[in-house]
């Protein structure tokens, strides 16, 4: 089976808007308080990587280019 591409998040750029979570039709992304970003907000994480198809919707809809979908 081919290795599927997955999103990685640049938390230096991420503004914690949640668009990527809503963009994902597979429920793969959750917003969680993991302390990774610069604000006291919930930041995105690939919560359910098994459900991610590598479709790049999250990458395409992120307004600040904080997501890269790659192997
Ligand atoms: S690549 Fe597609 S399936 Fe995977 S997290 Fe992004 S929007 Fe969801
Ligand atoms: S869409 Fe981009 S800026 Fe918004 S939460 Fe997702 S990664 Fe962060």
């Amino acid at each position: 089976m081919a290795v599927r591409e997955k999103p990685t998040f640049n938390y230096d750029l991420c503004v914690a808007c949640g668009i990527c979570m809503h963009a994902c039709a597979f429920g793969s992304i959750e917003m969680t308080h993991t302390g990774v970003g610069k604000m006291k907000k919930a930041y995105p994480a690939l919560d359910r990587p098994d459900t991610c198809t590598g479709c790049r919707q999250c990458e395409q809809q992120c307004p600040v280019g904080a997501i890269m979908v790659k192997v």
Side-chain angles (χ1 to χ4, degrees):
M1 193 174 114
V3 178
R4 277 187 286 182
E5 297 180 320
K6 309 272 189 230
T8 59
F9 302 92
N10 182 338
Y11 296 113
D12 291 330
L13 297 177
C14 176
V15 294
C17 67
I19 288 174
C20 54
M21 180 185 72
H22 294 292
C24 180
F26 304 96
S28 307
I29 296 174
E30 279 296 332
M31 303 296 283
T32 55
H33 285 89
T34 52
V36 290
K38 49 196 176 289
M39 297 177 282
K40 286 187 177 171
K41 285 188 163 186
Y43 281 82
L46 190 63
D47 189 53
R48 297 172 63 211
D50 52 315
T51 64
C52 174
T53 64
C55 71
R56 295 183 181 267
Q57 273 302 310
C58 53
E59 182 184 62
Q60 287 166 15
Q61 293 194 34
C62 175
V64 296
I67 300 178
M68 275 185 60
V69 177
K70 59 185 181 183
V71 173

